[in-house]
Amino acid sequence: QVQLLESGGGSVQAGESLRLSCTSSALLRVRNMGWFRQAPGKEREAVSCLTWRGDSTDYPDSVKGRFTISRDNGKNTLYLKMASLKPEDTAMYYCAAASSTYGGTTCAEREFGFWGLGTQVTVSS
């Protein structure tokens, strides 16, 4: 069982930055990890994922160039640095860990069996 705890969300103005953190109870370097978000009235979408090898998946156009995923293996912590935030980035952000170890190459939700409770990000204009 993998437990995940997100932190770092908050309310900011457009153009500001935030860094989300996700602390894992298990080793990060053996599983694909990802950040997903869900805005009110919308389906959850993938923001960015990091394979167990440390390769990041392609970012969606909506966040490309503004969001960066990273991890600290020593701290078992996954990060999402978000810059130049926009009101449309307002959502609940979730950290997720893949169900299997040493496998998977995509950012598809079906591969992620462990989820945190989420941290809210609100961006006002």
Coordinates of all heavy atoms in Angstrom, one line a residue, residues 64-109:
K64 N 2.3 23.4 -20.7 CA 3.6 23.3 -21.3 C 4.4 24.6 -21.1 O 3.9 25.7 -21.4 CB 3.6 22.9 -22.7 CG 4.9 22.4 -23.3 CD 4.7 21.9 -24.7 CE 3.9 20.6 -24.7 NZ 3.8 20.0 -26.0
G65 N 5.6 24.5 -20.6 CA 6.4 25.7 -20.5 C 6.2 26.4 -19.2 O 7.0 27.3 -18.8
R66 N 5.2 26.0 -18.4 CA 4.9 26.7 -17.2 C 5.0 25.7 -16.0 O 5.4 26.2 -14.9 CB 3.5 27.2 -17.2 CG 3.2 28.3 -18.3 CD 1.9 29.0 -18.1 NE 0.8 28.0 -18.2 CZ -0.1 27.8 -17.3 NH1 0.0 28.4 -16.1 NH2 -1.1 26.9 -17.5
F67 N 4.7 24.4 -16.2 CA 4.8 23.5 -15.1 C 6.0 22.5 -15.3 O 6.3 22.2 -16.4 CB 3.5 22.6 -15.1 CG 2.3 23.3 -14.6 CD1 2.2 24.7 -14.5 CD2 1.1 22.6 -14.3 CE1 1.1 25.4 -14.1 CE2 0.0 23.3 -13.9 CZ -0.1 24.7 -13.8
T68 N 6.6 22.1 -14.1 CA 7.7 21.2 -14.2 C 7.6 20.2 -13.1 O 7.4 20.6 -11.9 CB 9.0 22.0 -14.0 OG1 9.1 23.0 -15.0 CG2 10.2 21.0 -14.2
I69 N 7.7 19.0 -13.4 CA 7.6 17.9 -12.5 C 9.0 17.4 -12.1 O 9.9 17.4 -12.9 CB 6.8 16.7 -13.0 CG1 6.5 15.7 -11.9 CG2 7.5 16.0 -14.2 CD1 5.5 14.6 -12.4
S70 N 9.2 17.1 -10.9 CA 10.5 16.6 -10.4 C 10.3 15.7 -9.2 O 9.2 15.7 -8.6 CB 11.5 17.8 -10.1 OG 11.0 18.6 -9.1
R71 N 11.4 15.1 -8.7 CA 11.3 14.3 -7.5 C 12.6 14.3 -6.8 O 13.7 14.6 -7.4 CB 10.9 12.9 -7.9 CG 12.0 12.1 -8.5 CD 11.6 10.7 -8.9 NE 12.7 9.9 -9.4 CZ 12.6 8.8 -10.2 NH1 11.4 8.3 -10.4 NH2 13.7 8.2 -10.6
D72 N 12.5 14.1 -5.5 CA 13.7 13.9 -4.6 C 13.6 12.5 -4.1 O 12.8 12.3 -3.2 CB 13.6 15.0 -3.5 CG 14.9 15.0 -2.7 OD1 15.5 13.9 -2.4 OD2 15.3 16.0 -2.2
N73 N 14.4 11.6 -4.6 CA 14.3 10.2 -4.1 C 14.7 10.1 -2.7 O 14.1 9.3 -2.0 CB 15.3 9.4 -5.0 CG 14.8 9.2 -6.4 OD1 13.6 9.4 -6.7 ND2 15.7 8.9 -7.3
G74 N 15.6 10.9 -2.2 CA 16.0 10.8 -0.8 C 14.9 11.2 0.2 O 14.8 10.6 1.3
K75 N 14.0 12.1 -0.3 CA 12.9 12.5 0.6 C 11.6 11.8 0.2 O 10.6 12.1 0.8 CB 12.7 14.0 0.5 CG 13.9 14.8 1.0 CD 13.6 16.3 0.9 CE 14.8 17.1 1.4 NZ 14.5 18.6 1.3
N76 N 11.7 10.9 -0.8 CA 10.4 10.3 -1.3 C 9.3 11.3 -1.6 O 8.2 11.1 -1.3 CB 9.9 9.2 -0.4 CG 10.7 7.9 -0.5 OD1 11.2 7.6 -1.5 ND2 10.7 7.1 0.6
T77 N 9.7 12.4 -2.2 CA 8.8 13.5 -2.5 C 8.8 13.8 -4.0 O 9.8 14.0 -4.6 CB 9.2 14.7 -1.7 OG1 9.2 14.3 -0.3 CG2 8.2 15.8 -1.9
L78 N 7.6 14.0 -4.5 CA 7.3 14.4 -5.8 C 6.9 15.9 -5.8 O 6.2 16.3 -4.9 CB 6.2 13.6 -6.5 CG 5.9 13.8 -7.9 CD1 7.0 13.2 -8.8 CD2 4.5 13.2 -8.3
Y79 N 7.4 16.6 -6.8 CA 7.1 18.1 -6.8 C 6.4 18.4 -8.1 O 6.6 17.8 -9.2 CB 8.3 18.9 -6.7 CG 9.1 18.7 -5.4 CD1 10.2 17.9 -5.4 CD2 8.7 19.2 -4.2 CE1 10.9 17.6 -4.2 CE2 9.4 19.0 -3.0 CZ 10.5 18.2 -3.0 OH 11.2 18.0 -1.9
L80 N 5.6 19.5 -8.1 CA 5.1 20.1 -9.3 C 5.3 21.6 -9.1 O 4.6 22.3 -8.3 CB 3.6 19.8 -9.5 CG 3.1 20.4 -10.8 CD1 3.7 19.7 -12.1 CD2 1.5 20.3 -10.9
K81 N 6.3 22.2 -9.9 CA 6.5 23.6 -9.9 C 5.6 24.2 -10.9 O 5.6 23.9 -12.1 CB 7.9 23.9 -10.1 CG 8.3 25.4 -10.0 CD 9.8 25.7 -10.2 CE 10.1 27.1 -10.1 NZ 11.5 27.4 -10.3
M82 N 4.8 25.2 -10.5 CA 3.8 25.9 -11.4 C 4.1 27.3 -11.4 O 4.1 28.0 -10.4 CB 2.4 25.6 -10.9 CG 2.1 24.2 -10.7 SD 0.4 23.9 -10.2 CE 0.3 24.7 -8.6
A83 N 4.4 27.8 -12.6 CA 4.7 29.2 -12.8 C 3.7 29.9 -13.7 O 3.0 29.2 -14.4 CB 6.1 29.4 -13.4
S84 N 3.7 31.2 -13.7 CA 2.8 32.0 -14.5 C 1.3 31.4 -14.4 O 0.7 31.2 -15.5 CB 3.3 32.0 -15.9 OG 4.5 32.5 -16.0
L85 N 0.9 31.2 -13.3 CA -0.4 30.6 -13.1 C -1.6 31.4 -13.7 O -1.5 32.7 -13.7 CB -0.7 30.4 -11.6 CG 0.0 29.1 -11.0 CD1 0.1 29.2 -9.5 CD2 -0.6 27.9 -11.5
K86 N -2.6 30.7 -14.2 CA -3.7 31.4 -14.8 C -5.0 30.9 -14.1 O -5.0 29.9 -13.5 CB -3.8 30.9 -16.3 CG -2.6 31.2 -17.1 CD -2.7 30.6 -18.5 CE -1.4 30.9 -19.3 NZ -1.6 30.3 -20.7
P87 N -6.0 31.7 -14.2 CA -7.3 31.3 -13.6 C -7.8 29.9 -14.0 O -8.4 29.2 -13.2 CB -8.3 32.4 -14.0 CG -7.4 33.6 -14.2 CD -6.1 33.1 -14.8
E88 N -7.5 29.6 -15.2 CA -7.9 28.3 -15.7 C -7.1 27.1 -15.1 O -7.4 25.9 -15.3 CB -7.8 28.2 -17.2 CG -6.5 28.6 -17.8 CD -6.6 30.1 -18.3 OE1 -7.1 31.0 -17.5 OE2 -6.1 30.4 -19.4
D89 N -6.1 27.4 -14.3 CA -5.3 26.4 -13.6 C -6.0 26.1 -12.3 O -5.6 25.1 -11.6 CB -3.9 26.9 -13.3 CG -3.1 27.0 -14.6 OD1 -3.2 26.2 -15.5 OD2 -2.3 28.0 -14.6
T90 N -7.1 26.8 -11.9 CA -7.8 26.5 -10.7 C -8.4 25.1 -10.7 O -9.1 24.8 -11.7 CB -8.9 27.6 -10.5 OG1 -8.3 28.8 -10.3 CG2 -9.8 27.2 -9.3
A91 N -8.0 24.3 -9.7 CA -8.5 22.9 -9.7 C -8.0 22.3 -8.4 O -7.1 22.9 -7.7 CB -7.9 22.1 -10.9
M92 N -8.5 21.1 -8.2 CA -7.9 20.2 -7.1 C -6.8 19.4 -7.8 O -7.0 18.8 -8.8 CB -8.9 19.3 -6.5 CG -8.4 18.5 -5.4 SD -8.2 19.4 -3.9 CE -9.9 19.6 -3.3
Y93 N -5.6 19.5 -7.2 CA -4.5 18.8 -7.8 C -4.2 17.5 -7.0 O -4.1 17.6 -5.7 CB -3.2 19.7 -7.8 CG -3.3 20.7 -8.9 CD1 -4.2 21.8 -8.8 CD2 -2.5 20.6 -10.0 CE1 -4.3 22.7 -9.8 CE2 -2.6 21.5 -11.0 CZ -3.5 22.6 -10.9 OH -3.5 23.5 -12.0
Y94 N -4.1 16.4 -7.7 CA -3.9 15.1 -7.0 C -2.5 14.5 -7.5 O -2.1 14.6 -8.6 CB -4.9 14.1 -7.5 CG -6.3 14.5 -7.0 CD1 -7.1 15.3 -7.9 CD2 -6.8 14.1 -5.8 CE1 -8.4 15.6 -7.5 CE2 -8.1 14.5 -5.4 CZ -8.9 15.2 -6.3 OH -10.2 15.6 -5.9
C95 N -1.9 13.9 -6.5 CA -0.7 13.1 -6.7 C -1.1 11.6 -6.8 O -2.0 11.2 -6.1 CB 0.3 13.3 -5.6 SG 1.7 12.3 -5.5
A96 N -0.4 10.9 -7.7 CA -0.8 9.5 -7.9 C 0.5 8.7 -8.1 O 1.4 9.2 -8.7 CB -1.8 9.3 -9.1
A97 N 0.4 7.4 -7.7 CA 1.5 6.5 -7.9 C 0.9 5.3 -8.7 O -0.2 4.8 -8.5 CB 2.0 6.0 -6.5
A98 N 1.8 4.8 -9.6 CA 1.4 3.6 -10.4 C 1.1 2.4 -9.5 O 1.7 2.2 -8.5 CB 2.4 3.3 -11.4
S99 N 0.2 1.6 -10.0 CA -0.1 0.4 -9.3 C 1.0 -0.6 -9.2 O 1.2 -1.3 -8.3 CB -1.3 -0.3 -9.9 OG -2.4 0.6 -9.9
S100 N 1.8 -0.7 -10.3 CA 2.9 -1.6 -10.4 C 4.2 -0.9 -10.3 O 4.3 0.3 -10.6 CB 2.8 -2.4 -11.7 OG 2.9 -1.5 -12.8
T101 N 5.2 -1.7 -10.0 CA 6.6 -1.1 -9.9 C 7.3 -1.4 -11.2 O 7.0 -2.4 -11.9 CB 7.4 -1.7 -8.8 OG1 7.4 -3.1 -8.9 CG2 6.7 -1.3 -7.4
Y102 N 8.3 -0.6 -11.5 CA 9.2 -0.8 -12.7 C 8.4 -1.1 -14.0 O 8.8 -1.9 -14.8 CB 10.2 -2.0 -12.4 CG 11.0 -1.8 -11.2 CD1 10.9 -2.6 -10.1 CD2 12.0 -0.8 -11.2 CE1 11.7 -2.4 -9.0 CE2 12.8 -0.6 -10.1 CZ 12.7 -1.4 -9.0 OH 13.4 -1.2 -7.9
G103 N 7.3 -0.4 -14.2 CA 6.5 -0.6 -15.4 C 5.7 0.6 -15.8 O 5.6 1.5 -15.0
G104 N 5.2 0.5 -17.0 CA 4.3 1.6 -17.5 C 5.1 2.7 -18.1 O 6.2 3.0 -17.7
T105 N 4.5 3.3 -19.1 CA 5.2 4.4 -19.8 C 4.3 5.6 -20.0 O 4.7 6.6 -20.6 CB 5.8 3.9 -21.1 OG1 4.7 3.4 -21.9 CG2 6.8 2.9 -21.0
T106 N 3.1 5.5 -19.6 CA 2.1 6.5 -20.0 C 1.7 7.2 -18.7 O 2.0 6.9 -17.6 CB 0.9 5.9 -20.7 OG1 0.1 5.2 -19.8 CG2 1.3 5.0 -21.8
C107 N 0.9 8.3 -19.0 CA 0.3 9.1 -17.9 C -1.2 8.8 -17.9 O -2.0 9.6 -17.5 CB 0.5 10.5 -18.2 SG 0.6 11.6 -16.8
A108 N -1.6 7.6 -18.2 CA -3.0 7.2 -18.2 C -3.5 6.9 -16.8 O -2.8 6.1 -16.1 CB -3.2 6.0 -19.1
E109 N -4.6 7.4 -16.5 CA -5.1 7.2 -15.1 C -5.2 5.7 -14.7 O -5.0 5.3 -13.6 CB -6.5 7.8 -15.0 CG -6.5 9.3 -14.8 CD -7.8 9.9 -14.3 OE1 -8.4 9.2 -13.4 OE2 -8.1 11.0 -14.7

